Amino acid sequence: MAVVRRLEADRIDMSGYEIRFSGAGGQGLQLCAKLLSTALANEGVNVATTQSYEPTSRGGLSRADMVVSTEGPVEYPLVTALDYLVVLDGAAVGISEALVRDDGLILADERRVDAIPDGRYTVNRMPFTDIAIRLGSERVANVIALASLVGIGGICARETLERTIRAGAPAKLLDLNLRALHEGFALADREVMTA
């Protein structure tokens, strides 16, 4: 059973927080950061993004980091204490888990991430890949995870993220990405209600 909690307004300082999307190359982690940073910028929020990935195009470790500031420019662009961590592949746990704040939130793909060490943070294991396969393409697990993060964390308005995806997705993939987005929002809503 997943442990899920909606983050309270006083849980983190919403004037500044850090997010990491972590997994394997080819899972669309850089795209997640790009979409979310664009959505936040459209809401007037300052965002710095950095990325790291191995030279292999598929399968190597990959991550995309975001430092967010709602009150002025981002002062330091690298993550130091993650408020939110999304993990789509078990191989990426070790490079990120130690950076999660004591009261941070980890969203992990329950098919691809076997275990995350017990910590001071909350871990939500969610069926991102399973839902993506049901939709017809495992490649949209990233969009499902992104929507779940926004749905649970309230990081930006859902409508803003949807507008961003509508503007940025290739026409032939728009319907699939929108279905993945709505599945992610619904997953977040279901998990929060059962907690």
Side-chain angles (χ1 to χ4, degrees), residues 14-185:
M14 289 306 283
S15 66
Y17 50 95
E18 299 177 2
I19 303 167
R20 173 173 284 177
F21 297 95
S22 186
Q27 289 186 304
L29 304 166
Q30 315 308 324
L31 178 61
C32 283
K34 179 181 177 184
L35 290 169
L36 186 54
S37 63
T38 300
L40 288 167
N42 288 337
E43 292 186 347
V45 176
N46 298 296
V47 182
T49 61
T50 56
Q51 57 189 10
S52 174
Y53 47 88
E54 293 180 358
T56 57
S57 62
R58 298 245 183 264
L61 290 177
S62 178
R63 66 175 166 73
D65 296 342
M66 300 174 61
V67 178
V68 181
S69 173
T70 60
E71 296 179 359
V74 172
E75 293 182 14
Y76 184 71
L78 302 178
V79 298
T80 58
L82 295 168
D83 296 286
Y84 305 99
L85 171 62
V86 176
V87 184
L88 298 184
D89 189 273
V93 173
I95 64 168
S96 302
E97 174 267 328
L99 286 174
V100 179
R101 290 183 187 272
D102 287 354
D103 55 355
L105 177 64
I106 299 175
L107 301 182
D109 186 285
E110 66 183 19
R111 176 184 280 245
R112 301 219 174 271
V113 181
D114 291 330
I116 294 178
D118 288 336
R120 309 119 355 247
Y121 38 73
T122 299
V123 177
N124 299 342
R125 298 188 71 238
M126 302 174 84
F128 305 135
T129 298
D130 291 340
I131 293 171
I133 290 169
R134 181 172 47 80
L135 290 176
S137 175
E138 190 172 334
R139 295 182 60 120
V140 293
N142 63 330
V143 175
I144 297 165
L146 173 59
S148 295
L149 173 66
V150 167
I152 291 172
I155 293 167
C156 70
R158 294 177 182 202
E159 298 78 16
T160 305
L161 183 59
E162 182 170 340
R163 281 193 303 273
T164 302
I165 288 176
R166 284 182 182 280
K172 66 181 183 178
L173 300 175
L174 180 59
D175 181 59
L176 178 61
N177 279 289
L178 289 176
R179 286 188 291 138
L181 178 77
H182 293 291
E183 287 283 347
F185 289 151

